[in-house]
Amino acid sequence: MGAQQVAERFTELYGARPEGVWAAPGRVNLIGEHTDYNDGFVMPFALPHQALAAVSRRDDGLLRLHSADMATGVVQLRLDALAPGTDPAWTAYPAGVVWALREAGHPVTGADIHLSSTVPTGAGLSSSAALEVVIALALRDLYGLDLAQWQLARLCQRAENVYVGAPTGIMDQTAAACCEPGHALFLDTRDLSQRQIPFDLAAEGLRLLVVDTQVKHAHSGGEYGKRRVGCEKGAALLGVDALRDIARADLDAALARLGEEEEIRRLVRHVVTEDERVERTVALLRAGTPRAIGPVLTEGHASLRDDFRISCPELDLVVDTALAHGALGARMTGGGFGGSAIVLTDTAEVPALTESLETAFIAAEFKAPRVFEAVPSAGARRLV
């Protein structure tokens, strides 16, 4: 649905036109997986797929929520009753943002909200962050809050961490809030410094495909949290604030200090080498050699599969099939345990490669994948 349709549906639901319509995108992470909660480097870019929100203010302490994507009517919540862990439904994401804003002292007194999203859920493309950021941006604008885009991202991360209970890092919300068209966002998650890196693959005769395996994943699941706890344990054992503080040149010595902690050793090895892969990718793109990032992407997948151990048969099949049919590089993207993979390929090879992937999934008796091109797009913004 476009902005006009979302506004019209809002009017049908609430009996008045909305004060505005806002958008926030999903994202693809080009490189830098599970580094954000280790104070490391990431490199996402925004997708054209986005969450739309038509919103108006209320002054009676009520939050009314409706989603075109959920088989429920309007959900009504009282702002003074919002509390972490009380809502297991989809409404926890927008309600959590309102809670986080109010907890931070911002005078939000209520809202009517209608949502619609084209970001695939459970595909590792940050549908939840898009939902959070679009709500935060709308409420900032409507209530005249003095908050920069990166500050909105911080509040949305708090909503997801504390209110929803998902131990995510800062990357997804920052990507939704801060990405620019035609660029990938090089983000230092320690100090939140940003650099917009030009990322125009089409000009080089290249395409980046997203392959949604249709295997759903959830950040609030236990395995994601275990990886984060393991990384924190590794940092503590090594006497550093975060694994970002282990230089690539010092990795072997650090691993030796961990002794028999084999699981922790694997997690540390992935994070340290992944940070280096992000920096290498930035250097290659700035040098105007995007084809050369292909092997770096593939290295990243091997690390996620073998060291971090968050891949699955469907993701591995995408990578193996793509590489066997001439792709320049491929890797899983997102939190893992399902979701999507990305494939870097020559433009001319896209039809044959797509057919090969679909054939491989049929042969493996997997659900058919969804394949589409990832085009670096705009971050969160007001549409109407």
Side-chain angles (χ1 to χ4, degrees):
M1 296 178 70
Q4 185 62 35
Q5 291 95 328
V6 171
E8 290 172 356
R9 181 61 175 139
F10 179 100
T11 304
E12 294 172 3
L13 289 163
Y14 299 117
R17 294 282 297 177
E19 293 184 79
V21 178
W22 289 259
R27 67 96 187 97
V28 161
N29 191 25
L30 182 64
I31 194 75
E33 221 65 78
H34 289 269
T35 50
D36 57 347
Y37 54 79
N38 289 290
D39 282 1
F41 305 122
V42 295
M43 199 173 185
F45 63 88
L47 288 168
H49 306 73
Q50 57 191 4
L52 300 180
V55 185
S56 287
R57 288 167 290 182
R58 298 181 67 93
D59 60 7
D60 58 359
L62 291 180
L63 175 64
R64 296 198 294 179
L65 300 165
H66 183 269
S67 172
D69 309 305
M70 298 293 171
T72 58
V74 174
V75 178
Q76 181 170 295
L77 304 170
R78 291 205 59 83
L79 299 190
D80 57 11
L82 299 180
T86 59
D87 187 355
W90 68 270
T91 50
Y93 293 95
V97 172
V98 176
W99 170 85
L101 284 166
R102 286 166 56 86
E103 281 286 299
H106 300 294
V108 176
T109 57
D112 287 338
I113 298 172
H114 170 60
L115 294 153
S116 180
S117 180
T118 59
V119 185
T121 59
L125 303 176
S126 297
S127 59
S128 60
L131 182 60
E132 293 157 1
V133 170
V134 75
I135 298 296
L137 181 64
L139 295 177
R140 181 198 71 179
D141 290 352
L142 290 176
Y143 282 97
L145 307 178
D146 185 18
L147 292 167
Q149 300 287 96
W150 69 268
Q151 292 173 309
L152 292 180
R154 274 291 193 206
L155 285 166
C156 289
Q157 182 198 16
R158 176 168 168 75
E160 188 151 350
N161 288 172
V162 180
Y163 196 92
V164 178
T168 57
I170 191 63
M171 174 182 67
D172 296 348
Q173 291 83 4
T174 305
C178 300
C179 280
E180 295 182 1
H183 292 77
L185 177 67
F186 177 39
L187 174 67
D188 182 334
T189 65
R190 169 164 284 171
D191 62 14
L192 297 188
S193 60
Q194 304 176 17
R195 273 194 284 166
Q196 300 286 345
I197 307 298
F199 191 54
D200 184 4
L201 294 179
E204 302 293 331
L206 301 173
R207 292 292 187 271
L208 190 74
L209 302 179
V210 175
V211 185
D212 177 4
T213 65
Q214 308 276 357
V215 178
K216 302 299 182 183
H217 80 148
H219 272 167
S220 55
E223 290 301 317
Y224 183 99
K226 287 179 183 177
R227 300 307 190 280
R228 181 163 186 164
V229 169
C231 290
E232 292 169 352
K233 180 180 177 180
L237 290 172
L238 293 169
V240 294
D241 291 335
L243 293 183
R244 181 262 186 71
D245 296 313
I246 305 298
R248 179 66 179 88
D250 298 329
L251 177 59
D252 289 343
L255 295 178
R257 288 170 56 196
L258 292 172
E260 300 301 316
E261 295 277 0
E262 182 55 34
E263 182 176 353
I264 303 301
R265 284 163 55 91
R266 288 190 286 98
L267 298 179
V268 171
R269 182 164 51 233
H270 166 73
V271 172
V272 174
T273 58
E274 186 78 347
D275 273 336
E276 186 270 339
R277 280 186 286 271
V278 177
E279 294 183 293
R280 206 179 343 151
T281 299
V282 170
L284 291 169
L285 291 177
R286 289 174 67 86
T289 56
R291 299 180 70 89
I293 73 172
V296 186
L297 302 182
T298 305
E299 286 176 27
H301 183 77
S303 183
L304 290 163
R305 180 193 63 211
D306 300 336
D307 278 341
F308 229 67
R309 299 190 180 182
I310 57 170
S311 189
C312 67
E314 291 85 352
L315 289 169
D316 292 341
L317 182 61
V318 172
V319 172
D320 293 344
T321 302
L323 295 176
H325 288 82
L328 300 173
R331 75 172 191 91
M332 60 157 285
T333 186
F337 311 105
S340 300
I342 54 175
V343 178
L344 180 65
T345 186
D346 288 293
T347 300
E349 299 301 321
V350 169
L353 180 55
T354 301
E355 182 179 355
S356 297
L357 289 167
E358 293 170 347
T359 299
F361 269 61
I362 292 171
E365 299 184 346
F366 293 152
K367 187 175 181 179
R370 179 184 179 211
V371 183
F372 59 91
E373 183 182 352
V375 180
S377 301
R381 63 212 183 277
R382 187 171 188 161
L383 301 178
V384 178

